[in-house]
Amino acid sequence: MPTLEIRLYVSTTEVGANRILELMSFAFGEEDYAIATTEIDEKADIWEASIYLMMADEEDVRPRFEACLEEEFPEASIEREVIPDIDWIAKSLEGLKPVRAGRFLVHGSHDRDKVQPHDLAIEIDAGQAFGTGHHGTTAGCLEVIEDVVRSRKIRNALDLGTGSGVLAIAVRKMVRIPVLATDIDPIAVRVARENARRNQVVEGIDFRTAPGFHSTAFGQHAPFDLIIANILARPLIKMAPQLVAHLAPGGTVILSGILASQRWKVIAAYSSAGLSHVRTIWRNGWVTIHFTRGKG
């Protein structure tokens, strides 16, 4: 059955966008609907709020979606779009070519013949979890991972927000150390574990579903010599003190999922938490930031 997307457009600030997400989460947080907010015009402060549902649910969901927002955002405009029933995994693979980041070559199963003998090949097919290596944030992380693992001794690592598992797999491919890979989404954790098995490194990676740093998994593995978090700028800034608290003296942090315009906010948050900025890699409007912690 086709999926329906209902979109709301509103001119507001980032605070207003957070309020929209809060209202939608309150209205639909206990139900199985995907909701999201995205800034589509930074200069004009235009935000889009979306909810995805099955066509059969529109009669019930649309009035509730409009009602939860109309009081605080009466000027908003609403559109609907039917999303055809397409095999998106197969469709997305049609245009995906192997991606090289240093010695890493991230490829789909349809491009195994492109792997060269010297490559650190990671096979990831597009699927239910984020991270095929084609996004600038993932490729930037891979490039820094190679440099860090080559230049310093790493005894254990954390991939926070592992998605498809590509970064945890990359670390394990380079050095045979224990890696903790966590995500708030249990589906992502399952997919990441399957990807690790496909890449023959599942034995060395502990995959866990963990919201934030509250899980016992972090205490069991910390402190980490290397922490990688390819998430988004806002949660990265918020979790800076906790993340640094789990980092070993002399440890390395690699952060991405950060728009170029957000770079200085992230650097300020982690500098305040005691880290030193080493360098920033720029890819297609996104940045990957490398920090270290003094041995103290």
Side-chain angles (χ1 to χ4, degrees):
M1 181 182 295
T3 303
L4 178 68
E5 178 188 7
I6 301 176
R7 295 190 296 266
L8 172 147
Y9 296 96
V10 62
S11 177
T12 187
T13 63
E14 185 173 339
V15 173
N18 288 338
R19 178 58 178 162
I20 291 172
L21 187 58
E22 180 183 336
L23 291 169
M24 291 196 299
S25 298
F26 181 79
F28 299 101
E30 300 299 320
E31 302 175 63
D32 192 23
Y33 297 115
I35 57 176
T37 57
T38 306
E39 187 174 28
I40 60 174
D41 187 332
E42 186 175 351
K43 290 184 178 178
D45 281 331
I46 303 297
W47 287 78
E48 174 188 285
S50 300
I51 184 167
Y52 297 85
L53 57 143
M54 304 306 292
M55 288 281 289
D57 296 335
E58 181 179 12
E59 186 175 343
D60 170 59
V61 173
R62 178 165 180 163
R64 293 164 52 206
F65 177 71
E66 295 177 0
C68 80
L69 298 170
E70 65 182 0
E71 182 175 346
E72 295 192 34
F73 301 93
E75 75 286 3
S77 60
I78 292 182
E79 295 181 358
R80 69 190 290 277
E81 179 181 358
V82 177
I83 302 173
D85 191 8
I86 294 173
D87 183 348
W88 290 107
I89 293 177
K91 187 73 174 174
S92 63
L93 284 173
E94 290 176 5
L96 291 185
K97 303 300 181 186
V99 169
R100 184 172 297 284
R103 279 191 62 203
F104 290 113
L105 184 76
V106 184
H107 65 93
S109 55
H110 59 298
D111 274 325
R112 289 174 184 161
D113 61 327
K114 305 295 194 303
V115 178
Q116 301 299 313
H118 66 283
D119 289 335
L120 286 172
I122 303 175
E123 184 175 306
I124 303 284
D125 279 335
Q128 293 173 292
F130 173 82
T132 59
H134 293 76
H135 198 278
T137 61
T138 310
C141 286
L142 289 170
E143 186 175 330
V144 181
I145 285 170
E146 182 178 8
D147 289 346
V148 168
V149 174
R150 283 182 175 278
S151 63
R152 57 177 57 205
K153 184 174 179 60
I154 305 294
R155 290 175 291 270
N156 67 340
L158 166 64
D159 178 15
L160 186 69
T162 193
S164 67
V166 62
L167 302 179
I169 293 168
V171 173
R172 185 67 183 173
K173 285 257 183 179
M174 281 204 73
V175 58
R176 309 299 277 187
I177 59 169
V179 180
L180 173 63
T182 68
D183 204 286
I184 62 173
D185 183 357
I187 294 176
V189 172
R190 175 177 57 78
V191 170
R193 186 179 290 112
E194 291 171 359
N195 285 333
R197 185 172 294 110
R198 175 184 296 184
N199 285 274
Q200 300 180 332
V201 293
V202 70
E203 295 293 329
I205 307 175
D206 183 7
F207 291 99
R208 301 281 192 98
T209 303
F213 281 97
H214 305 298
S215 169
T216 58
F218 297 103
Q220 293 167 2
H221 290 266
F224 301 96
D225 295 311
L226 172 61
I227 298 178
I228 309 152
N230 182 11
I231 310 177
L232 289 170
R234 193 179 305 134
L236 286 174
I237 291 169
K238 185 177 180 180
M239 69 174 62
Q242 288 179 297
L243 188 149
V244 173
H246 288 79
L247 184 66
T252 296
V253 171
I254 301 170
L255 303 180
S256 201
I258 305 161
L259 289 168
S261 60
Q262 301 166 324
R263 172 186 178 232
W264 289 112
K265 292 181 182 179
V266 176
I267 291 175
Y270 281 83
S271 296
S272 297
L275 300 189
S276 299
H277 174 231
V278 178
R279 64 168 173 151
T280 298
I281 289 180
W282 306 70
R283 282 178 179 259
N284 303 322
W286 298 84
V287 296
T288 300
I289 308 176
H290 176 195
F291 297 93
T292 59
R293 181 180 193 178
K295 295 190 177 181

